[in-house]
């Protein structure tokens, strides 16, 4: 992520720079175009100021006061009239100054005769406009006044007397107001002469500097004409940059505007900033998109991981379950076998008794037949039938017990209790234990498996028989009852009860307090798991009057739904 990002910075910087250049270029062009438009307005204005008084000296040359003065230059009256005329016309025409020179360039009279810096008495023979007029041409010139130090545009015409040039009349026009108008413009504006010397500008410190270094002949010419009264003209300290130029007037002047570079730079910066912002926006949205994609991928990876873990765990669980079921089945079988072993003695006794009786009856029957007493023999055969029937009953119980039966169906709880008690009847008799059974008045049909229910009941009864060993008047009872939706069998004894330390481990497999060989400690563990498998409950408690009571609860099946 980091590396490609820094790699992207370079092209981004290039794009921003390009945007700057493009923005500045466009703004520069726009500025130049605007400068051009501005010049188109300014140039005619300047032109009209210069042209307005073009004919004034020519018209004045016809004035008799001028020729009079030229004819009698020593006549104070003629000079006074000249001065007055020039002053009046100057005021009416609103020009800078009007003055008359004789052929030698000496000023005979001037509109500013009454001012301290008046032109009267001054000699302007060195000025180009004078020289041109003396040649019979119109003289035009721009320069700084040697007496007033005020810059101005000069137009001169020869004054003829008897067809000959007797003097020169000149008008001086001030361009100061024009220059003042330029001050409203933000951009530098200037007027330069044909040498490139700036003489008017809204940047005062640019004045009397040249745009380019002056060639020596230009410097010599400026010195001879006193155009800028001997000021040393030096090039501008700094190149003012791109400009728009237009030529104006008759003297090869250049009107120039320098559009502000600040605006150009600002526009470039704006473009660069906008581009940078755009790029940043792009980068941010790309980054956000990337983040979102990454998060989605992470989530998907997490989901996949979770799924595979769940699948793994599920497999583990089902494996464990399978093992548990196998183990449980094995335990159930093992429990049955253990119980079979324990019951073997009782069963043997139970079967031995009728067997011995059958043998005795059979022997006697043979004897009766030999003696010719068939009735007695028949009676004995009847006894043999009874005894074998009893044996059959015992064996069928055992067969039912040993069968591995997983089905859950309606079970007659009372019958299961009775057959369980029946199996242990001889055992209890042998031990002198009173075995009482009360199955109640109504039939209780519970959901479960007959063999398993009997297995549990036998186990509980056997434990009770064991517990009452050594108790005076030992007693074990089974009582059935209906409690809500459950059938309950309570197996009680009057033994010593369950000690507290035993109670905690009662249902743990292989927990036993009995001597080795007598108990495996599997009975209650298996019973409890069997009961749970049938959605029932198995619990134990001690009775107030002494002894223990085990409670087996199984869900009842409603009579209608039973079959
Ligand atoms: P086992 O009978 O092989 O010992 P069980 O799981 O059936 O295994 O019984 C575990 C233990 O619970 C017995 O060893 C005995 O200490 C105790 N116990 C079971 N039934 C009774 C009872 N009715 N009265 C007192 N203790 C009992």
């Amino acid at each position: 992520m980091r590396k490609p990002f820094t790699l992207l910075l370079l092209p981004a910087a290039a794009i921003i720079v390009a945007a700057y250049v493009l923005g500045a270029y466009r703004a520069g062009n726009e500025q130049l175009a605007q400068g051009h438009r501005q010049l188109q307005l300014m140039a005619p204005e300047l032109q009209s100021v210069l042209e307005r008084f073009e004919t004034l000296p020519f018209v004045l040359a016809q004035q008799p006061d001028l020729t009079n003065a030229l004819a009698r230059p020593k006549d104070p009256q003629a000079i006074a009239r000249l001065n007055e005329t020039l002053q009046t016309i100057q005021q009416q025409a609103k020009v800078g100054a009007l003055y008359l020179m004789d052929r030698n360039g000496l000023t005979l009279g001037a509109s500013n005769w009454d001012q301290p810096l008046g032109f009267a008495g001054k000699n302007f023979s060195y000025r180009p406009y004078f020289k041109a007029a003396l040649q019979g041409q119109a003289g035009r010139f721009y320069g700084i006044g040697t007496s007033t130090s005020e810059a101005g545009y000069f137009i001169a015409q020869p004054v003829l007397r008897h067809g000959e040039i007797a003097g020169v009349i000149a008008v001086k026009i001030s361009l100061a107001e024009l220059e003042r108008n330029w001050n409203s413009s933000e951009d530098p504006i200037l007027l330069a002469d044909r040498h490139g010397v700036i003489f008017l500008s809204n940047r005062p410190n640019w004045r009397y500097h040249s745009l380019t270094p002056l060639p020596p002949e230009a410097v010599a010419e400026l010195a001879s004409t006193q155009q800028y009264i001997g000021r040393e003209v030096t090039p501008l300290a700094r190149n003012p940059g791109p400009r728009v130029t237009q030529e104006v007037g008759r003297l090869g002047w250049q009107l120039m505007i320098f559009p502000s570079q600040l605006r150009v730079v600002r526009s470039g910066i704006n473009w660069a900033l906008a581009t940078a912002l755009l790029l940043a926006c792009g980068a941010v949205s790309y980054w956000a998109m990337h983040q979102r994609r990454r998060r989605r991928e992470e989530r998907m990876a997490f989901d996949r991981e979770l799924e595979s873990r769940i699948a793994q765990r599920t497999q583990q669980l089902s494996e464990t379950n399978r093992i548990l079921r196998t183990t449980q089945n094995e335990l159930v079988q093992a429990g049955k076998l253990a119980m079979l072993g324990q019951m073997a003695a009782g069963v043997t006794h139970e079967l031995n008794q009728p067997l011995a009786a059958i043998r005795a009856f059979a022997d006697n029957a043979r004897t009766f037949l030999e003696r010719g007493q068939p009735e007695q023999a028949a009676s004995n055969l009847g006894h043999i039938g009874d005894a074998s029937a009893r044996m059959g009953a015992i064996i069928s119980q055992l067969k039912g017990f040993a069968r591995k039966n997983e089905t859950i169906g309606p079970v007659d709880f009372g019958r299961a209790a009775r057959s369980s008690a029946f199996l242990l009847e001889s055992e209890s008799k042998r031990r002198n234990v009173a075995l009482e059974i009360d199955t109640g008045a109504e039939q209780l049909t519970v959901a479960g498996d007959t063999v398993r229910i009997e297995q549990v009941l036998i186990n509980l009864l056997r434990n009770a028989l064991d517990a009452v060993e050594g108790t005076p008047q030992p007693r074990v009872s089974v009582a059935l009852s209906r409690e809500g939706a459950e059938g309950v069998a309570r197996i009680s004894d009057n033994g010593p009860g369950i000690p507290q330390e035993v109670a905690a481990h009662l249902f743990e497999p292989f927990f036993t307090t009995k001597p080795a060989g007598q108990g495996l400690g599997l009975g209650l563990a298996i019973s409890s798991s069997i009961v749970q498998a049938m959605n029932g409950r198995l619990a134990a408690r001690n009775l107030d009057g002494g002894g223990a009571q085990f409670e087996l609860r199984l869900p009842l099946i409603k009579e209608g739904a039973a079959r």
Side-chain angles (χ1 to χ4, degrees):
M1 185 66 210
R2 194 142 289 282
K3 216 170 180 186
F5 223 75
T6 38
L7 273 179
L8 280 177
L9 277 181
L10 250 140
I15 290 170
I16 291 170
V17 168
Y20 174 85
V21 171
L22 189 69
Y25 174 77
R26 282 177 55 110
N29 276 353
E30 171 55 27
Q31 287 286 88
L32 288 180
Q34 178 152 1
H36 204 73
R37 282 194 294 274
Q38 205 173 338
L39 273 194
Q40 310 258 267
L41 293 176
M42 284 164 57
E45 189 188 352
L46 174 60
Q47 195 84 34
S48 84
V49 172
L50 298 180
E51 292 296 320
R52 197 179 305 153
F53 304 106
E54 189 60 32
T55 52
L56 182 62
F58 179 78
V59 174
L60 269 177
Q62 318 301 322
Q63 247 286 332
D65 290 336
L66 272 68
T67 40
N68 255 346
L70 285 172
R72 288 187 294 280
K74 302 273 189 252
D75 179 356
Q77 257 188 343
I79 296 301
R81 200 149 54 240
L82 171 69
N83 280 339
E84 218 163 297
T85 304
L86 290 178
Q87 192 169 43
T88 309
I89 294 172
Q90 177 262 324
Q91 282 166 358
Q92 289 301 312
K94 292 197 179 68
V95 292
L98 284 170
Y99 50 107
L100 180 69
M101 291 153 280
D102 68 9
R103 282 188 57 88
N104 301 316
L106 181 74
T107 307
L108 297 180
S111 56
N112 53 12
W113 62 274
D114 52 350
Q115 284 165 28
L117 292 175
F119 296 163
K122 301 271 160 50
N123 192 308
F124 295 115
S125 60
Y126 57 91
R127 292 290 211 188
Y129 62 85
F130 176 80
K131 287 178 182 165
L134 212 56
Q135 299 295 311
Q137 298 157 3
R140 298 180 189 88
F141 180 71
Y142 183 85
I144 303 174
T146 38
S147 45
T148 56
S149 297
E150 277 171 13
Y153 179 60
F154 301 86
I155 308 171
Q157 286 284 353
V159 182
L160 300 179
R161 193 166 160 265
H162 308 307
E164 279 185 26
I165 295 170
V168 171
I169 172 79
V171 56
K172 182 184 178 183
I173 304 158
S174 169
L175 298 180
E177 193 171 346
L178 196 84
E179 195 184 40
R180 266 196 298 280
N181 286 344
W182 296 350
N183 282 338
S184 59
S185 168
E186 230 180 80
D187 302 338
I189 300 173
L190 61 79
L191 194 58
D193 67 16
R194 62 193 167 89
H195 300 301
V197 178
I198 300 160
F199 59 86
L200 278 186
S201 175
N202 56 355
R203 294 284 185 281
N205 51 349
W206 287 19
R207 234 176 275 149
Y208 312 122
H209 287 287
S210 59
L211 290 163
T212 52
L214 291 181
E217 56 270 24
V219 176
E221 189 191 317
L222 289 183
S224 76
T225 58
Q226 292 270 311
Q227 189 165 358
Y228 302 118
I229 51 167
R231 275 177 207 263
E232 201 194 332
V233 174
T234 52
L236 273 179
R238 220 160 37 84
N239 181 3
R243 71 203 65 174
V244 195
T245 305
Q246 180 150 350
E247 200 176 304
V248 281
R250 304 176 187 229
L251 299 174
W253 292 355
Q254 302 281 334
L255 184 61
M256 294 184 188
I257 287 189
F258 296 83
S260 163
Q261 287 311 291
L262 205 71
R263 255 172 282 161
V264 173
V265 169
R266 220 181 285 147
S267 164
I269 287 174
N270 282 349
W271 275 58
L273 278 181
T275 309
L277 203 75
L278 237 123
L279 284 176
C281 279
V284 164
S285 48
Y286 172 81
W287 180 78
M289 230 166 65
H290 180 86
Q291 271 319 72
R292 218 177 38 211
R293 201 170 51 219
R294 213 174 58 176
R295 264 203 302 278
R296 205 171 43 222
E297 273 165 13
E298 273 174 7
R299 207 171 44 227
M300 268 157 66
F302 179 76
D303 285 355
R304 273 198 301 276
E305 168 81 13
L306 199 68
E307 267 167 32
S308 90
R309 260 198 238 170
I310 287 173
Q312 206 180 332
R313 190 53 65 85
T314 308
Q315 203 199 335
Q316 276 175 4
L317 270 177
S318 58
E319 176 70 3
T320 313
N321 236 348
R322 197 183 58 76
I323 292 170
L324 256 179
R325 236 188 342 261
T326 315
T327 314
Q328 190 187 359
N329 279 336
E330 279 166 3
L331 280 175
V332 167
Q333 288 303 92
K336 277 183 194 167
L337 287 176
M339 240 177 302
L340 260 183
Q342 286 170 358
M343 283 194 298
V347 171
T348 309
H349 175 77
E350 203 69 19
L351 291 179
N352 262 342
Q353 211 186 13
L355 203 59
I358 285 171
R359 200 178 293 131
F361 282 129
D363 286 347
N364 287 347
R366 199 183 301 127
T367 312
F368 282 131
L369 282 176
E370 281 165 6
R371 287 183 194 163
Q373 296 175 305
E375 293 84 11
Q376 272 83 354
S379 158
N380 272 16
L381 285 176
H383 286 302
I384 288 173
D386 289 347
S388 56
R390 183 169 165 77
M391 286 174 76
I394 294 170
I395 289 164
S396 83
Q397 288 287 334
L398 284 175
K399 249 166 69 192
F401 181 79
R403 203 170 61 223
K404 190 171 176 179
N405 194 342
E406 302 279 350
T407 53
I408 284 193
V411 174
D412 184 339
F413 209 7
R415 185 144 56 165
R418 274 193 300 273
S419 51
S420 304
F422 175 76
L423 269 175
L424 291 172
E425 212 173 61
S426 55
E427 171 95 20
S428 50
K429 268 196 197 128
R430 195 169 51 79
R431 297 194 191 185
N432 279 322
V433 178
L435 180 59
E436 297 155 16
I437 174 155
D438 171 14
T439 53
E442 59 171 330
Q443 184 186 317
L444 299 174
T445 307
V446 292
D449 176 79
T450 316
V451 174
R452 296 211 159 185
I453 293 173
E454 286 176 7
Q455 185 182 344
V456 172
L457 287 171
I458 289 167
N459 189 40
L460 295 176
L461 284 168
R462 181 163 289 283
N463 276 346
L465 286 179
D466 287 346
V468 294
E469 187 102 45
T471 306
Q473 293 177 327
R475 205 162 19 84
V476 170
S477 68
V478 183
L480 262 58
S481 61
R482 165 195 290 273
E483 281 178 24
E486 287 175 328
V488 185
R490 292 198 172 84
I491 294 93
S492 317
D493 62 64
N494 61 350
I498 304 158
Q500 210 173 347
E501 64 274 14
V502 172
H505 309 287
L506 209 56
F507 296 101
E508 283 176 17
F510 301 109
F511 177 84
T512 179
T513 56
K514 294 169 189 169
Q518 278 186 37
L520 276 173
L522 283 174
L524 286 180
I526 292 169
S527 298
S528 152
S529 85
I530 289 171
V531 172
Q532 273 173 30
M534 292 186 296
N535 304 316
R537 281 178 292 163
L538 183 60
R541 66 185 188 101
N542 282 325
L543 291 170
D544 289 341
Q549 184 177 78
F550 282 76
E551 198 178 82
L552 166 62
R553 287 172 175 271
L554 287 169
L556 280 168
I557 293 181
K558 282 198 206 104
E559 222 23 64
R563 273 166 247 273

